[in-house]
Amino acid sequence: RRGGLSAKAAAGLRQELLDQMKAMDGAPETVATIAQTCCALGELGTNDGWSQPLRAACAGTICVAGRRPSLATGTRDVQLALVIYGEVTLALSLAAPAVSAAAPEVVAAATDLAHGECEPALSATAFVALGKFCLGSASLANKLLPMFMRELGTNGQPAVRNNALIVLFDLVKRHTALFDRHLPTIALAIADTSPLVRHHAVVLLAQLLLEDYIKWRPSLLRAFCVALVDSEPSLRAVAKSCLFDMLLPRAPLLAFNSFLPLLFQLNGCLEHPQHSAPLPAEEKAAFELSGPDRQQSRLQILRGLLASMSDEHRLQVTAKLCHEVLAAVLDGQMALASAEAVLADSLRLLACREAKISGGAVHAEDAEDAAPSATSAAAAAKGKVLSLVARKATVEAIVPIVIELKRHLEKFRSPLLRDVFLFLRELLRDHKAHLQDILSRDKQLAAEVEYDMRQLASEQASARALQSITPGTNRRTPASAGSRPRAHLPGRTGGGGNSAPGASSLTVPTPDRLRSAMAIPKLRSQRSSLGSAGGGKSAGVSRLSGGGENRMGPPQIVHRANSADDVVMASPFKEQPPPRQWNVCPSPLAQSVFDAVA
């Protein structure tokens, strides 16, 4: 009995399905289901009475079309014949291996249709049929494997490449030993031009890795990493889920051991003596992300790998970046011009939040427990020890290298000096209480970094202040005769209860005057405006609104007759002091650093 049916009922149902298949009526997917049902309803073999005649009829149709693929007529009938012959042959390979081999003439005709000049749908169907033939014969799979690999990489039809990939996926499970040397070529499908092929490649390779049919290779990791920054958002999400949620947790050392080689390979840098192995030409074109325009993609990949590591591995990766990249530039192992991209990525990675250790932080679910377990207590103690180790390594190993790198970059006036200062700023934030210990070897550097941080904060505050200023329409109130509108200083108001009588209201300037008013006014010596011979030339002097009376008199804004935009400060009772010399950065070395940063 088959599925609750008697032998007679199963035979009658199978005959009805066979008649429908022989009529070649239905879609290929429907015919495939019907063929599978027929195989499940009865015994298969040489004497089953139905499989051999059906295969013979389909073989005739396939062979006629295979003689001249470009002139094949009745494409739909040929497709259905390929589907039926493939399904029956696959079922026979499981039930009766002695009669499962496909006829040589059918294999030859299907091969011609697969890579011949025919319709893409017919070629894709022929590839699926050939894959079903190969599942039951290891010798045939070994013979047709080069064709599958070639069509996967060179065929111009996405449907053909997609079906070739799916066939290879099934063959890897059945004949695993044949595909070890072809895995790098299969991994190139993740960089295919078709989003459908890339999506299937990520999913199928992840499934093979999870089921242990294949092992991790450097080419596979590079392919998955490149998929993390794919142009398709859905594919990026799938690759991130497969890599970080399913694959890397099963191989905790993979990201740590592959981090530095991946950094050099993504940049295409071969200068380092330990990471100088070039990629094959196909992988170089598909997986290399060199150039400043792709820096964000590289950093996104590497920061994701850092986030998946444990605290111990992050600490070791930080040390490796300092000794194998930063120190290698200082020692001359890598030229600055050729390793600039690698050095820039390393400095950004050292300053990112993913490179910092947790320091024994307690998770929310652990904090809810009233009595912490021994495991959480041990994790907290381990985090504290790692924090101490990281602090010691920073003071004794990392900071001296960064200081020497700063001096080295100053000689070449490299734009990477800004990245060095950003990294130093992160170090100071993390080790603020130990500032003197970290920078005890270079007092001048400590002063420069502090000044640079203040300048950055000041620039950000100025940018926020400028954004908050909204220019309005010019207004003018009645004033004494001969009065003119005065320049408006930011942060002051033109009216109020304390304004002097007769003073005209301050106006909102144009954007050009606003920029000139925001500049630092120049202090220049000015004679008293009371009783001076030149007092008549200083027209338009008025008092600014203030909070109260000033015995010496408030400062005045004086517009010279020859330039209405030159704003100077003057006192009516005494001459102005000489210009003040601002000693902001007395060190010539520090001045050159900030000139380079600017």
Side-chain angles (χ1 to χ4, degrees):
R1 299 175 66 86
R2 296 281 179 175
L5 295 176
S6 61
K8 183 178 180 180
L13 179 58
R14 182 175 60 248
Q15 187 59 43
E16 293 180 6
L17 295 176
L18 288 174
D19 294 340
Q20 188 175 356
M21 281 194 299
K22 290 178 182 179
M24 298 296 180
D25 185 15
E29 296 82 3
T30 304
V31 172
T33 304
I34 293 175
Q36 294 171 5
T37 305
C38 290
C39 295
L41 286 175
E43 297 294 337
L44 292 174
T46 56
N47 299 322
D48 55 19
W50 66 272
S51 62
Q52 297 304 322
L54 182 61
R55 293 177 70 191
C58 294
T61 304
I62 296 172
C63 291
V64 171
R67 293 169 186 169
R68 303 186 68 180
S70 59
L71 301 178
T73 59
T75 303
R76 185 171 176 277
D77 294 342
V78 179
Q79 280 186 268
L80 296 178
L82 286 168
V83 170
I84 296 171
Y85 195 95
E87 290 293 341
V88 176
T89 302
L90 179 60
L92 286 172
S93 67
L94 301 176
V99 295
S100 62
E105 61 273 13
V106 177
V107 175
T111 304
D112 294 337
L113 292 172
H115 56 77
E117 296 180 358
C118 56
E119 294 184 4
L122 183 57
S123 296
T125 306
F127 266 101
V128 175
L130 288 173
K132 293 175 182 177
F133 301 161
C134 294
L135 287 175
S137 174
S139 59
L140 182 61
N142 192 23
K143 180 181 178 180
L144 296 181
L145 181 58
M147 184 195 70
F148 285 123
M149 303 304 302
R150 182 183 67 250
E151 297 299 325
L152 176 63
T154 61
N155 196 286
Q157 299 297 331
V160 174
R161 298 197 304 272
N162 182 71
N163 283 6
L165 177 66
I166 295 175
V167 167
L168 289 172
F169 167 74
D170 290 332
L171 292 179
V172 167
K173 290 188 172 183
R174 183 65 65 90
H175 312 291
T176 307
L178 298 177
F179 288 86
D180 286 341
R181 59 191 180 94
H182 295 290
L183 284 179
T185 306
I186 299 176
L188 289 174
I190 294 183
D192 194 273
T193 56
S194 172
L196 178 64
V197 177
R198 298 199 302 270
H199 186 276
H200 284 168
V202 170
V203 174
L204 296 179
L205 286 174
Q207 184 175 349
L208 291 175
L209 287 167
L210 290 173
E211 296 176 0
D212 292 330
Y213 283 104
I214 59 177
K215 301 298 181 182
W216 275 108
R217 303 284 184 86
S219 57
L220 289 177
L221 181 61
R222 286 191 293 268
F224 273 95
C225 289
V226 171
L228 295 174
V229 292
D230 192 88
S231 58
E232 293 290 331
S234 59
L235 182 56
R236 292 198 301 267
V238 170
K240 182 178 179 181
S241 176
C242 291
L243 184 61
F244 295 122
D245 296 339
M246 293 184 287
L247 296 175
L248 287 184
R250 293 166 55 96
L253 296 178
L254 179 63
F256 170 69
N257 293 331
S258 306
F259 189 85
L260 254 67
L262 191 62
L263 171 64
F264 284 90
Q265 291 163 0
L266 291 178
N267 281 281
C269 180
L270 306 177
E271 293 291 327
H272 198 279
Q274 299 180 7
H275 308 284
S276 59
L279 294 177
E282 297 82 3
E283 292 191 33
K284 182 179 176 65
F287 300 144
E288 187 176 295
L289 302 176
S290 58
D293 55 332
R294 296 184 174 183
Q295 185 184 34
Q296 293 302 323
S297 298
R298 298 193 301 268
L299 292 178
Q300 182 178 349
I301 293 171
L302 296 171
R303 291 176 65 176
L305 294 178
L306 274 175
S308 66
M309 297 182 191
S310 62
D311 287 342
E312 299 93 327
H313 290 163
R314 293 176 192 172
L315 186 59
Q316 296 180 42
V317 165
T318 300
K320 283 188 175 183
L321 287 174
C322 291
H323 289 89
E324 298 187 21
V325 179
L326 276 61
V329 174
L330 294 175
D331 297 340
Q333 298 181 8
M334 295 190 300
L336 180 60
S338 58
E340 186 175 1
V342 177
L343 183 58
D345 291 354
S346 300
L347 291 171
R348 294 290 183 90
L349 291 170
L350 288 170
C352 71
R353 65 176 182 273
E354 288 81 3
K356 300 177 182 179
I357 63 175
S358 60
V362 180
H363 297 286
E365 57 270 16
D366 294 335
E368 294 178 357
D369 298 336
S373 62
T375 303
S376 60
K382 183 178 180 181
K384 293 180 181 179
V385 172
L386 287 175
S387 298
L388 295 175
V389 172
R391 184 181 307 159
K392 184 177 180 180
T394 301
V395 175
E396 296 182 358
I398 296 178
V399 170
I401 294 177
V402 176
I403 293 175
E404 292 300 323
L405 179 64
K406 166 187 168 295
R407 293 170 179 169
H408 182 74
L409 296 178
E410 286 171 356
K411 299 177 183 178
F412 300 95
R413 301 184 66 86
S414 173
L416 296 180
L417 277 170
R418 181 174 180 83
D419 294 330
V420 173
F421 272 101
L422 290 175
F423 177 39
L424 284 173
R425 184 178 65 178
E426 293 299 323
L427 289 179
L428 295 178
R429 287 177 177 174
D430 296 338
H431 306 277
K432 186 175 181 180
H434 305 275
L435 175 62
Q436 298 300 327
D437 293 336
I438 294 178
L439 298 176
S440 59
R441 295 174 176 84
D442 196 331
K443 300 293 185 181
Q444 182 65 30
L445 177 64
E448 292 173 8
V449 172
E450 288 182 352
Y451 175 75
D452 183 66
M453 294 178 66
R454 289 197 300 269
Q455 286 296 105
L456 290 176
S458 177
E459 290 176 3
Q460 294 175 356
S462 299
R464 289 192 297 267
L466 286 176
Q467 291 177 358
S468 64
I469 297 177
T470 305
T473 57
N474 292 341
R475 298 192 306 268
R476 188 173 182 177
T477 56
S480 58
S483 63
R484 295 186 301 174
R486 306 301 193 262
H488 174 67
L489 291 179
R492 298 295 187 106
T493 57
N498 297 330
S499 299
S504 61
S505 62
L506 301 179
T507 61
V508 178
T510 62
D512 294 337
R513 290 184 177 273
L514 179 62
R515 285 192 291 270
S516 64
M518 288 297 295
I520 300 176
K522 298 179 180 179
L523 301 178
R524 47 178 299 172
S525 301
Q526 195 84 347
R527 292 184 299 173
S528 174
S529 60
L530 297 179
S532 61
K537 297 181 180 180
S538 302
V541 179
S542 64
R543 180 179 301 176
L544 291 175
S545 60
E549 296 294 335
N550 192 333
R551 184 173 298 177
M552 297 299 296
Q556 298 177 344
I557 301 178
V558 179
H559 294 274
R560 292 183 301 171
N562 56 357
S563 177
D565 295 333
D566 193 2
V567 181
V568 297
M569 307 296 293
S571 170
F573 295 102
K574 64 179 181 180
E575 297 202 8
Q576 297 293 333
R580 181 177 178 181
Q581 300 294 330
W582 295 91
N583 188 13
V584 176
C585 195
S587 171
L589 180 61
Q591 185 64 41
S592 65
V593 172
F594 289 103
D595 290 343
V597 174

